[in-house]
Amino acid sequence: MRSHYCGTLDTSLIDQEVVLCGWVNRRRDHGGVIFIDLRDRSGLAQVVFDPDLPEVFAQAERVRSEYVLQVRGRLRRRPEGTENPSIPSGQVELLGLELTVLNAAETPPFQLDEDDVGEETRLRYRYIDLRRPEMQRRLMLRAQVTRTLRRFLDDREFLDVETPMLTKATPEGARDYLVPSRTHNGSFFALPQSPQLFKQLLMMSGLDRYYQIVRCFRDEDLRADRQPEFTQLDIETSFLEEDDVMSLMEGMVRELFAQVLEVALPEPFPRMTYAEAMHRFGSDKPDLRIPLELVDVTDLMREVEFKVFSAPAIDPAGRVAVLRLPGGGSLSRKEIDDYTAYVARFGAKGLAYIKVNALASGREGLQSPILKFLPDAVIDAIIERCAPVDGDLLFFGADKAAVVNDALGNLRVRLGHDRGLVEHGWRPLWVVDFPMFEHDDKSGRWVSLHHPFTAPRVAAPEALGAAPGEVLSRAYDMVLNGTEVGGGSVRIHDPEMQAAVFRLLGISDEEAREKFGFLLDALRYGCPPHAGIAFGLDRLVMLMTGSASIRDVIAFPKTQTASCPLTDAPTPVNERQLQELGIRLRRPQV
C-alpha cells in the first residue's frame, strides 16, 4: 500500500512518485492550498494539495485530524524559506496527486500534543496515547534494547529457553497471583514472580548458559511505580564465579549503551560493599551523581547530655550521622520544616540542623536550636569531621541505624534534585557483600535479604548458625544512577547448605519438602556450581529513555491500583464459571 515511510523522505527522492500511508497529524488551509502533515511511526511528511486537481482537493478539504490516508504524489523540494530543519523530511514535500481515505476518525478525547492529559485518560485510550511520537520512540528504543541484549547473549552461546507460566506458589506466596485449576478441583497454580527455581534446574540439566526475556507477576501492595506484571531479562550460568558473571554482565550493559545511546560507560564498573554504601550514602543503591555523603558522628555523641543524640549513640543498633548541604544556610525555616516532614515518612522523629554562618567566629558563628545541648569540644569535632564552609548547613539524623539510613539517604537524593546538584551522565556501580540474613523484629525470625537460594560466603553449613547477622552472601546488585537495574548471586548447589539455610529461616524440613522437594531432589543428582542475575527491563528502559515512570515504557501498563482502564480488568466473573472451578466467593462482612 505504500512505497516509503513518511520520515524517510529526503532530497534523494525528488521528482520520484511516492505512496505514503499514515494518520493526519495536522491539516492547514493556506490561501487555497491545503497542507497535511501525514504521520507514521517514522515521523512526519508534508503533503500539498493544489486546487488544480479539483476532485483530490475536495477530498483533502473533508479530511480531519487522525483520519487514516493513502496518498500518491510526486516529491519536490520545499520553496526556499519554508524548510523545516527539525524533521528529517523537512527539505521536501509531496505534491498530492491521489488521495484515499482508508478510515475516518471521530474527534479524539485528547490531542496528541496536549501535555496535561490525566494518566487515567491516557491509559483508557492507550491506542491513541501510543500514537504520540514520544511514546513510539520509547517503544522503538525498547525493541532495540531487547534486540541488542539478545544478540549479545546469543553471540556468547547463551540459550533462550522458556520456563512455565503456571507453576507452584513461592515462599512469598502471599504475593502470588493464583490461578484455579479446573481439572484439579480445589488446587491452584501460581503465576511466577520469577523463573528462579526453573533456571537453576536448567543448570542442573547441563544447559550451561540460559537467558529469557520473561514476564513476571507480583501481587504487591499498591506502590507508586510498581507493576503487577513486569518484564525481566533472566540469566543463569554454570561454572562461573561472581567475578566472572559481573564482568560478563557489565560488558553486556556497556555494549547496550554504546549501541543504543552511543554512550561509553566506564570500564570496569566501580564496586562498593553493602556496608560502605550504607555508611556513606544510607542506601544500598546510591546515586553517585549526587556529591553528598553521610558522615558518621556516633562516637562523638555518646557522652553528651542531649538524649536525642546520646541514646542512639550508645545503642548498638543506633546511629548518629550528619548530611552536609553546601550552601544550605540559605534555606528558609519553611523549607527546613518541609524537609523535616519529608524524613518523617521514613520514620525519623525530627531533623536537627546547624547553619554555618561564620566558622571563624566559633560557636557564635553557628545557628541552631541544638547548640545549647552540645559542648564546645563536640561542636569542634563535628566541624572538623564534616568540614563545612561558611554558608553550609548540617542536617542530623539520630535513631536506629536503619531509620537514620533510610531518612538521610532519601533526604540526600531529594536535596540533590531540589538544589540542582545532580551531575549529568551515567554512574554505574556494583554493590557486593550483602548480609545473608536480616532479623525481622516483628516475627522474631531471620529472613533472607535476597532469596533463600543465595549462597553464603561460608564453607560449612554449621558456620551459619554461629552469628547469622554477620554472614555475608555471594550476591551482587548492579545500580545505575540510584536505581537497582539488576540483582543476582551465586546459588547454593550443595543440598546440606540449602537445608541449613532453610532451617535458619524457620522453614522446617517438612515445609521445605512440601514447597521445594523437586529442587532438593535435583540438588542430590549432581548439581554444578552456578550463578545468575536478573535485570528489570522496564526500569532499565525507563532510565535509558529519561522517562518519569515505567508505565511510559510499557505498551499496556496497569494503573497504580493494579487495574487496566482500557479493558476494565480485573472484573467479576459469572457464577457458572466459579461453580465450574469449585470456588465460592465470601462477601466481606459489613
mmCIF file of all heavy atoms in Angstrom, residues 185-214:
data_model
loop_
_atom_site.group_PDB
_atom_site.id
_atom_site.type_symbol
_atom_site.label_atom_id
_atom_site.label_comp_id
_atom_site.label_asym_id
_atom_site.label_seq_id
_atom_site.Cartn_x
_atom_site.Cartn_y
_atom_site.Cartn_z
ATOM 1 N N ASN A 185 -9.646 -29.898 41.026
ATOM 2 C CA ASN A 185 -10.556 -29.083 41.818
ATOM 3 C C ASN A 185 -9.993 -28.811 43.211
ATOM 4 O O ASN A 185 -9.531 -29.725 43.907
ATOM 5 C CB ASN A 185 -11.906 -29.808 41.941
ATOM 6 C CG ASN A 185 -13.015 -28.827 42.288
ATOM 7 O OD1 ASN A 185 -13.335 -28.668 43.451
ATOM 8 N ND2 ASN A 185 -13.566 -28.178 41.278
ATOM 9 N N GLY A 186 -10.022 -27.514 43.587
ATOM 10 C CA GLY A 186 -9.507 -27.118 44.891
ATOM 11 C C GLY A 186 -8.030 -26.808 44.910
ATOM 12 O O GLY A 186 -7.500 -26.407 45.946
ATOM 13 N N SER A 187 -7.350 -26.999 43.782
ATOM 14 C CA SER A 187 -5.912 -26.710 43.694
ATOM 15 C C SER A 187 -5.683 -25.494 42.810
ATOM 16 O O SER A 187 -6.507 -25.142 41.966
ATOM 17 C CB SER A 187 -5.152 -27.912 43.136
ATOM 18 O OG SER A 187 -5.232 -29.008 44.027
ATOM 19 N N PHE A 188 -4.518 -24.880 43.011
ATOM 20 C CA PHE A 188 -4.224 -23.633 42.322
ATOM 21 C C PHE A 188 -2.804 -23.657 41.770
ATOM 22 O O PHE A 188 -1.879 -24.171 42.406
ATOM 23 C CB PHE A 188 -4.350 -22.438 43.279
ATOM 24 C CG PHE A 188 -5.744 -22.189 43.763
ATOM 25 C CD1 PHE A 188 -6.269 -22.937 44.805
ATOM 26 C CD2 PHE A 188 -6.530 -21.214 43.185
ATOM 27 C CE1 PHE A 188 -7.559 -22.714 45.260
ATOM 28 C CE2 PHE A 188 -7.818 -20.978 43.627
ATOM 29 C CZ PHE A 188 -8.340 -21.731 44.663
ATOM 30 N N PHE A 189 -2.647 -23.086 40.592
ATOM 31 C CA PHE A 189 -1.328 -22.710 40.090
ATOM 32 C C PHE A 189 -1.007 -21.311 40.620
ATOM 33 O O PHE A 189 -1.885 -20.582 41.080
ATOM 34 C CB PHE A 189 -1.302 -22.657 38.567
ATOM 35 C CG PHE A 189 -1.494 -23.983 37.888
ATOM 36 C CD1 PHE A 189 -2.716 -24.300 37.292
ATOM 37 C CD2 PHE A 189 -0.464 -24.903 37.817
ATOM 38 C CE1 PHE A 189 -2.896 -25.522 36.646
ATOM 39 C CE2 PHE A 189 -0.633 -26.117 37.173
ATOM 40 C CZ PHE A 189 -1.856 -26.421 36.592
ATOM 41 N N ALA A 190 0.271 -20.928 40.503
ATOM 42 C CA ALA A 190 0.681 -19.549 40.757
ATOM 43 C C ALA A 190 1.417 -19.040 39.533
ATOM 44 O O ALA A 190 2.176 -19.775 38.894
ATOM 45 C CB ALA A 190 1.575 -19.468 41.982
ATOM 46 N N LEU A 191 1.167 -17.782 39.180
ATOM 47 C CA LEU A 191 1.975 -17.151 38.139
ATOM 48 C C LEU A 191 3.331 -16.797 38.742
ATOM 49 O O LEU A 191 3.414 -16.361 39.889
ATOM 50 C CB LEU A 191 1.271 -15.894 37.612
ATOM 51 C CG LEU A 191 -0.092 -16.113 36.967
ATOM 52 C CD1 LEU A 191 -0.678 -14.781 36.498
ATOM 53 C CD2 LEU A 191 0.007 -17.082 35.797
ATOM 54 N N PRO A 192 4.411 -16.972 37.991
ATOM 55 C CA PRO A 192 5.754 -16.852 38.591
ATOM 56 C C PRO A 192 6.131 -15.422 38.939
ATOM 57 O O PRO A 192 5.926 -14.498 38.148
ATOM 58 C CB PRO A 192 6.674 -17.412 37.495
ATOM 59 C CG PRO A 192 5.927 -17.169 36.225
ATOM 60 C CD PRO A 192 4.471 -17.327 36.562
ATOM 61 N N GLN A 193 6.675 -15.262 40.145
ATOM 62 C CA GLN A 193 7.302 -13.986 40.493
ATOM 63 C C GLN A 193 8.669 -13.862 39.830
ATOM 64 O O GLN A 193 9.167 -12.761 39.603
ATOM 65 C CB GLN A 193 7.445 -13.860 42.008
ATOM 66 C CG GLN A 193 6.111 -13.791 42.735
ATOM 67 C CD GLN A 193 6.276 -13.489 44.203
ATOM 68 O OE1 GLN A 193 7.166 -12.738 44.592
ATOM 69 N NE2 GLN A 193 5.432 -14.071 45.030
ATOM 70 N N SER A 194 9.278 -14.984 39.543
ATOM 71 C CA SER A 194 10.499 -15.046 38.742
ATOM 72 C C SER A 194 10.700 -16.511 38.361
ATOM 73 O O SER A 194 10.137 -17.392 38.994
ATOM 74 C CB SER A 194 11.715 -14.524 39.526
ATOM 75 O OG SER A 194 12.306 -15.564 40.276
ATOM 76 N N PRO A 195 11.521 -16.766 37.339
ATOM 77 C CA PRO A 195 11.802 -18.171 36.966
ATOM 78 C C PRO A 195 12.938 -18.775 37.791
ATOM 79 O O PRO A 195 13.616 -19.689 37.327
ATOM 80 C CB PRO A 195 12.207 -18.063 35.489
ATOM 81 C CG PRO A 195 12.051 -16.633 35.104
ATOM 82 C CD PRO A 195 12.069 -15.842 36.352
ATOM 83 N N GLN A 196 13.156 -18.278 39.010
ATOM 84 C CA GLN A 196 14.350 -18.612 39.785
ATOM 85 C C GLN A 196 14.627 -20.110 39.849
ATOM 86 O O GLN A 196 15.719 -20.572 39.502
ATOM 87 C CB GLN A 196 14.214 -18.048 41.198
ATOM 88 C CG GLN A 196 15.395 -18.356 42.104
ATOM 89 C CD GLN A 196 16.676 -17.713 41.622
ATOM 90 O OE1 GLN A 196 16.675 -16.562 41.211
ATOM 91 N NE2 GLN A 196 17.769 -18.452 41.650
ATOM 92 N N LEU A 197 13.660 -20.890 40.298
ATOM 93 C CA LEU A 197 13.929 -22.314 40.503
ATOM 94 C C LEU A 197 14.092 -23.048 39.183
ATOM 95 O O LEU A 197 14.930 -23.948 39.067
ATOM 96 C CB LEU A 197 12.808 -22.935 41.327
ATOM 97 C CG LEU A 197 12.634 -22.339 42.736
ATOM 98 C CD1 LEU A 197 11.537 -23.063 43.496
ATOM 99 C CD2 LEU A 197 13.948 -22.402 43.512
ATOM 100 N N PHE A 198 13.322 -22.660 38.180
ATOM 101 C CA PHE A 198 13.430 -23.351 36.892
ATOM 102 C C PHE A 198 14.778 -23.084 36.224
ATOM 103 O O PHE A 198 15.356 -23.967 35.592
ATOM 104 C CB PHE A 198 12.287 -22.938 35.972
ATOM 105 C CG PHE A 198 10.968 -23.542 36.354
ATOM 106 C CD1 PHE A 198 9.993 -22.786 36.958
ATOM 107 C CD2 PHE A 198 10.716 -24.886 36.135
ATOM 108 C CE1 PHE A 198 8.785 -23.347 37.332
ATOM 109 C CE2 PHE A 198 9.508 -25.470 36.495
ATOM 110 C CZ PHE A 198 8.536 -24.686 37.100
ATOM 111 N N LYS A 199 15.290 -21.852 36.367
ATOM 112 C CA LYS A 199 16.587 -21.600 35.723
ATOM 113 C C LYS A 199 17.697 -22.340 36.452
ATOM 114 O O LYS A 199 18.676 -22.761 35.838
ATOM 115 C CB LYS A 199 16.867 -20.103 35.616
ATOM 116 C CG LYS A 199 17.079 -19.348 36.912
ATOM 117 C CD LYS A 199 17.387 -17.890 36.580
ATOM 118 C CE LYS A 199 17.647 -17.042 37.813
ATOM 119 N NZ LYS A 199 17.991 -15.648 37.462
ATOM 120 N N GLN A 200 17.545 -22.538 37.771
ATOM 121 C CA GLN A 200 18.524 -23.360 38.468
ATOM 122 C C GLN A 200 18.430 -24.814 38.009
ATOM 123 O O GLN A 200 19.452 -25.488 37.844
ATOM 124 C CB GLN A 200 18.297 -23.264 39.978
ATOM 125 C CG GLN A 200 18.669 -21.917 40.570
ATOM 126 C CD GLN A 200 18.655 -21.913 42.089
ATOM 127 O OE1 GLN A 200 17.918 -21.162 42.710
ATOM 128 N NE2 GLN A 200 19.487 -22.749 42.691
ATOM 129 N N LEU A 201 17.211 -25.286 37.795
ATOM 130 C CA LEU A 201 17.038 -26.660 37.304
ATOM 131 C C LEU A 201 17.642 -26.829 35.912
ATOM 132 O O LEU A 201 18.163 -27.898 35.571
ATOM 133 C CB LEU A 201 15.556 -27.024 37.283
ATOM 134 C CG LEU A 201 14.883 -27.149 38.661
ATOM 135 C CD1 LEU A 201 13.390 -27.348 38.499
ATOM 136 C CD2 LEU A 201 15.491 -28.289 39.470
ATOM 137 N N LEU A 202 17.578 -25.765 35.094
ATOM 138 C CA LEU A 202 18.196 -25.836 33.765
ATOM 139 C C LEU A 202 19.713 -26.004 33.873
ATOM 140 O O LEU A 202 20.331 -26.674 33.046
ATOM 141 C CB LEU A 202 17.848 -24.592 32.951
ATOM 142 C CG LEU A 202 16.403 -24.494 32.453
ATOM 143 C CD1 LEU A 202 16.147 -23.139 31.810
ATOM 144 C CD2 LEU A 202 16.093 -25.610 31.464
ATOM 145 N N MET A 203 20.309 -25.362 34.887
ATOM 146 C CA MET A 203 21.748 -25.553 35.096
ATOM 147 C C MET A 203 22.034 -26.986 35.531
ATOM 148 O O MET A 203 23.021 -27.598 35.116
ATOM 149 C CB MET A 203 22.272 -24.561 36.136
ATOM 150 C CG MET A 203 22.157 -23.090 35.723
ATOM 151 S SD MET A 203 22.964 -22.696 34.147
ATOM 152 C CE MET A 203 21.572 -22.705 32.999
ATOM 153 N N MET A 204 21.166 -27.539 36.359
ATOM 154 C CA MET A 204 21.332 -28.936 36.777
ATOM 155 C C MET A 204 21.106 -29.888 35.608
ATOM 156 O O MET A 204 21.568 -31.033 35.639
ATOM 157 C CB MET A 204 20.342 -29.244 37.916
ATOM 158 C CG MET A 204 20.534 -28.370 39.136
ATOM 159 S SD MET A 204 19.239 -28.630 40.365
ATOM 160 C CE MET A 204 19.406 -27.134 41.357
ATOM 161 N N SER A 205 20.424 -29.394 34.574
ATOM 162 C CA SER A 205 20.184 -30.203 33.374
ATOM 163 C C SER A 205 21.354 -30.174 32.403
ATOM 164 O O SER A 205 21.332 -30.857 31.380
ATOM 165 C CB SER A 205 18.923 -29.707 32.659
ATOM 166 O OG SER A 205 17.812 -29.691 33.523
ATOM 167 N N GLY A 206 22.351 -29.340 32.684
ATOM 168 C CA GLY A 206 23.531 -29.292 31.834
ATOM 169 C C GLY A 206 23.450 -28.313 30.686
ATOM 170 O O GLY A 206 24.293 -28.344 29.782
ATOM 171 N N LEU A 207 22.468 -27.380 30.695
ATOM 172 C CA LEU A 207 22.360 -26.425 29.578
ATOM 173 C C LEU A 207 23.382 -25.305 29.667
ATOM 174 O O LEU A 207 23.549 -24.546 28.730
ATOM 175 C CB LEU A 207 20.945 -25.862 29.503
ATOM 176 C CG LEU A 207 19.872 -26.886 29.102
ATOM 177 C CD1 LEU A 207 18.518 -26.209 28.950
ATOM 178 C CD2 LEU A 207 20.247 -27.584 27.804
ATOM 179 N N ASP A 208 24.026 -25.132 30.804
ATOM 180 C CA ASP A 208 25.231 -24.325 30.978
ATOM 181 C C ASP A 208 24.988 -22.808 30.946
ATOM 182 O O ASP A 208 25.414 -22.107 31.847
ATOM 183 C CB ASP A 208 26.285 -24.685 29.931
ATOM 184 C CG ASP A 208 27.657 -24.174 30.306
ATOM 185 O OD1 ASP A 208 28.254 -24.749 31.228
ATOM 186 O OD2 ASP A 208 28.118 -23.200 29.696
ATOM 187 N N ARG A 209 24.342 -22.295 29.906
ATOM 188 C CA ARG A 209 24.089 -20.856 29.823
ATOM 189 C C ARG A 209 22.660 -20.631 29.310
ATOM 190 O O ARG A 209 22.321 -21.066 28.203
ATOM 191 C CB ARG A 209 25.090 -20.159 28.886
ATOM 192 C CG ARG A 209 26.506 -20.140 29.428
ATOM 193 C CD ARG A 209 27.427 -19.259 28.595
ATOM 194 N NE ARG A 209 28.730 -19.121 29.241
ATOM 195 C CZ ARG A 209 29.626 -18.188 28.932
ATOM 196 N NH1 ARG A 209 29.359 -17.309 27.990
ATOM 197 N NH2 ARG A 209 30.773 -18.133 29.585
ATOM 198 N N TYR A 210 21.882 -19.934 30.106
ATOM 199 C CA TYR A 210 20.462 -19.727 29.803
ATOM 200 C C TYR A 210 20.121 -18.246 29.888
ATOM 201 O O TYR A 210 20.702 -17.503 30.690
ATOM 202 C CB TYR A 210 19.611 -20.506 30.810
ATOM 203 C CG TYR A 210 18.333 -19.808 31.265
ATOM 204 C CD1 TYR A 210 17.114 -20.039 30.628
ATOM 205 C CD2 TYR A 210 18.357 -18.916 32.344
ATOM 206 C CE1 TYR A 210 15.953 -19.397 31.054
ATOM 207 C CE2 TYR A 210 17.199 -18.279 32.776
ATOM 208 C CZ TYR A 210 15.999 -18.519 32.128
ATOM 209 O OH TYR A 210 14.851 -17.886 32.537
ATOM 210 N N TYR A 211 19.180 -17.812 29.046
ATOM 211 C CA TYR A 211 18.576 -16.492 29.248
ATOM 212 C C TYR A 211 17.139 -16.537 28.763
ATOM 213 O O TYR A 211 16.730 -17.422 28.011
ATOM 214 C CB TYR A 211 19.357 -15.385 28.536
ATOM 215 C CG TYR A 211 19.054 -15.219 27.055
ATOM 216 C CD1 TYR A 211 18.075 -14.322 26.628
ATOM 217 C CD2 TYR A 211 19.752 -15.931 26.086
ATOM 218 C CE1 TYR A 211 17.805 -14.155 25.271
ATOM 219 C CE2 TYR A 211 19.494 -15.769 24.742
ATOM 220 C CZ TYR A 211 18.519 -14.880 24.336
ATOM 221 O OH TYR A 211 18.242 -14.720 23.000
ATOM 222 N N GLN A 212 16.378 -15.555 29.205
ATOM 223 C CA GLN A 212 14.986 -15.451 28.804
ATOM 224 C C GLN A 212 14.505 -14.034 29.100
ATOM 225 O O GLN A 212 14.805 -13.495 30.160
ATOM 226 C CB GLN A 212 14.139 -16.469 29.594
ATOM 227 C CG GLN A 212 12.676 -16.476 29.222
ATOM 228 C CD GLN A 212 11.853 -17.437 30.079
ATOM 229 O OE1 GLN A 212 10.703 -17.671 29.783
ATOM 230 N NE2 GLN A 212 12.433 -17.994 31.127
ATOM 231 N N ILE A 213 13.817 -13.434 28.147
ATOM 232 C CA ILE A 213 13.104 -12.185 28.414
ATOM 233 C C ILE A 213 11.691 -12.594 28.777
ATOM 234 O O ILE A 213 10.932 -13.070 27.933
ATOM 235 C CB ILE A 213 13.149 -11.240 27.201
ATOM 236 C CG1 ILE A 213 14.599 -10.812 26.948
ATOM 237 C CG2 ILE A 213 12.268 -10.016 27.438
ATOM 238 C CD1 ILE A 213 14.794 -9.941 25.723
ATOM 239 N N VAL A 214 11.357 -12.442 30.060
ATOM 240 C CA VAL A 214 10.214 -13.158 30.613
ATOM 241 C C VAL A 214 9.304 -12.218 31.393
ATOM 242 O O VAL A 214 9.758 -11.274 32.035
ATOM 243 C CB VAL A 214 10.716 -14.317 31.520
ATOM 244 C CG1 VAL A 214 11.553 -13.789 32.667
ATOM 245 C CG2 VAL A 214 9.572 -15.156 32.044
#
